[in-house]
Amino acid sequence: MASKPFSKSVFTFYRFVRRRLGNPTSQHHHQRSTSGIPTYPEIIEGCPVACKDDAQVQNEVLILDIEGGLLRSQSLFPYFILVAIEAGSFLRGLILLCLYPLLSFLTQEVQSRVMAMVCFLGLTEEKVTRVARATLPKHFLEDIGWEGLEVVRGFKRVVGVSRMIPRVMLEDFLKEYIGLEMVVGRELKIVRGRYVGLLETEGERRLSLDKLEGTQMVGFGSSSSYFNHNHHQLFTCCKEVYLVTAEQKKQWSTLPRDQYPRPLIFHDGRLAFKPTPQATLAMFMWLPFAVPLTVLRTLIFVNLPYSISLPIGSASGVTTRVIKNPIPATGNANHRALAQLNPQGHLYVCNHRTLLDPVYISVMLNKKVSAVTYSVSRISELLSPIQTIRLTRNRDEDRRRMEHSLQKGDLVICPEGTTCREPYLLRFSPLFIELVDEVYPVALMNWSYMFYGTSTGRSKYMDHFYYFMNPHPAYVVEFMDRMPTHVVINGRRCESYDVANMVQGEISRVLGFEPTKLTRKDKYMILEGNEGVVDTKQ
């Protein structure tokens, strides 16, 4: 209870010292230096409020301390270990975790240097940039304080300043998701395209202020970092610096998903949780059990009949729930009789969560089905308990292959063409509408609490292994009412893409997801910078 009055006392004493330093003979220097930039900023407790005058707002720049004025967490460990594991390896992450107890006795500056050495030593620029673009944004967004983001939204021009996090980890996220004009952070030394793990000591001092000439700068950060002399030199150029206390930051709210500055639709990386020291320790304690368990679960689903594999898989921790089971209650005899009346197989259309989607549909139907694939590794196809049909992205050839498969039996297709982890549906390719007179939509939902069973990297063949490494992987399969593919509205027959959008909309409605017009190509261009064609020899 005494900490809050103490913080106010520090603010009062600091303002008193600044006032005395500026009086009486150096009053003009206290207000402006010869360059026209404030020398001694006024320290104010709380969050700044931007002026509503458009002319003044255009000339006002917010200098934002990322760690102190935007992120809620005081620990940088989760972000560094994400780089260590996702760009490096689990061994590198384990080394950093073992060092954590020692790091707690060091200053924040020394902590950053040690963590940077462990995480970045030997890594290529390409690997680190990929993690910064595809993995870190999700974790940064989940750590943003709603109050801090409201301050950012009040200014048209914002310059982000990071005292401890290397700029390469922050820049893509802050510019693309938050809309910052410039990002200033610690630089890492690179030799022949690889990081040597050393933070630059002079990088911050070479900052060019050309873009900020003639502007009034307002600083925003936390009192703990500012009074510990960890603030950036840009804060000395501000006319005012607003600081929040540690007690105030503890009361900050988590940013709701619908308040994200930009929707988080795509992200990558294997870890499905925030890797705090405690959570990371639990993961490493689980790994010795997870590896044999995922092998066992894979063998069960690949080799045993569905009637046996489902209860054994459930005993091993795999949770499966079916809604509106399509198998007739009168038994398989009537089911086969109905199938004989319709010699062509059924076309099941589902959203795409993991490579196991068609397998779970097959299990719930209690019969073998075929599934179409594109750019899936040979290892994944060999391990699949159901037949897979590789598409070529040649429309005529793909149509021929799917029609041939439907003549033999049921077919499962994921029109999105790729997986999506978040509650969104990508655009449905309309080719499936032209194959049959009716389709059977299936809505899928899954949960991964420790590891994601999807990836856009080169290790896609490990996807289902990672999914089964979760302590309790869960799937919900909901079979929906069949939908016709020939739809007439106001006397006009709908085009195939219109009907595909209707199917997408119905699945979205059942799941509570948001339909989008984004495609598979969009996903891989955002996360990988390519069109997502993997080496099929993997």
Side-chain angles (χ1 to χ4, degrees), residues 434-449:
E434 304 171 9
L435 302 175
V436 291
D437 293 330
E438 58 185 16
V439 297
Y440 293 77
V442 184
L444 300 173
M445 174 62 80
N446 76 314
W447 287 270
S448 300
Y449 299 103

Side-chain angles (χ1 to χ4, degrees), residues 144-353:
I144 286 181
W146 182 84
E147 291 80 357
L149 185 62
E150 284 297 294
V151 173
V152 175
R153 285 171 170 165
F155 291 81
K156 291 186 177 180
R157 301 184 64 188
V158 182
V159 174
V161 174
S162 173
R163 297 168 287 105
M164 299 299 166
I165 303 178
R167 183 179 59 84
V168 67
M169 295 170 59
L170 282 167
E171 189 167 30
D172 285 340
F173 163 71
L174 293 175
K175 287 186 175 181
E176 294 182 13
Y177 283 86
I178 310 300
L180 267 59
E181 178 181 331
M182 184 191 312
V183 178
V184 181
R186 306 295 294 273
E187 300 292 342
L188 288 156
K189 292 183 179 179
I190 300 176
V191 176
R192 296 183 180 180
R194 291 185 179 271
Y195 292 97
V196 296
L198 298 176
L199 287 170
E200 294 275 8
T201 56
E202 300 295 328
E204 294 181 347
R205 299 179 185 177
R206 294 194 294 265
L207 174 67
S208 174
L209 300 177
D210 294 343
K211 293 183 178 180
L212 303 180
E213 284 293 335
T215 62
Q216 290 185 344
M217 289 180 275
V218 177
F220 178 50
S222 66
S223 57
S224 58
S225 61
Y226 194 87
F227 292 126
N228 287 334
H229 306 289
N230 289 327
H231 59 277
H232 192 273
Q233 65 174 3
L234 272 179
F235 280 89
T236 63
C237 304
C238 298
K239 65 172 183 176
E240 298 170 339
V241 173
Y242 291 80
L243 301 176
V244 292
T245 64
E247 292 75 18
Q248 290 172 331
K249 285 197 65 175
K250 288 180 181 179
Q251 298 177 2
W252 279 13
S253 306
T254 303
L255 186 66
R257 175 180 292 275
D258 59 1
Q259 292 295 315
Y260 284 0
R262 168 183 164 185
L264 179 69
I265 301 176
F266 302 124
H267 60 86
D268 204 22
R270 290 298 188 183
L271 300 188
F273 62 98
K274 182 179 180 179
T276 61
Q278 296 80 4
T280 306
L281 177 60
M283 179 197 70
F284 278 108
M285 293 177 64
W286 170 250
L287 278 181
F289 303 97
V291 173
L293 183 61
T294 190
V295 174
L296 175 63
R297 288 169 171 172
T298 301
L299 292 176
I300 290 173
F301 277 90
V302 170
N303 296 309
L304 297 181
Y306 292 150
S307 57
I308 300 176
S309 64
L310 193 60
I312 295 179
S314 179
S316 71
V318 180
T319 302
T320 308
R321 179 189 175 199
V322 61
I323 300 176
K324 199 175 180 180
N325 196 320
I327 300 178
T330 52
N332 290 332
N334 288 348
H335 189 55
R336 288 192 295 268
L338 290 174
Q340 291 176 357
L341 297 177
N342 183 16
Q344 188 181 38
H346 293 159
L347 180 61
Y348 294 92
V349 178
C350 64
N351 59 305
H352 205 1
R353 301 296 286 182

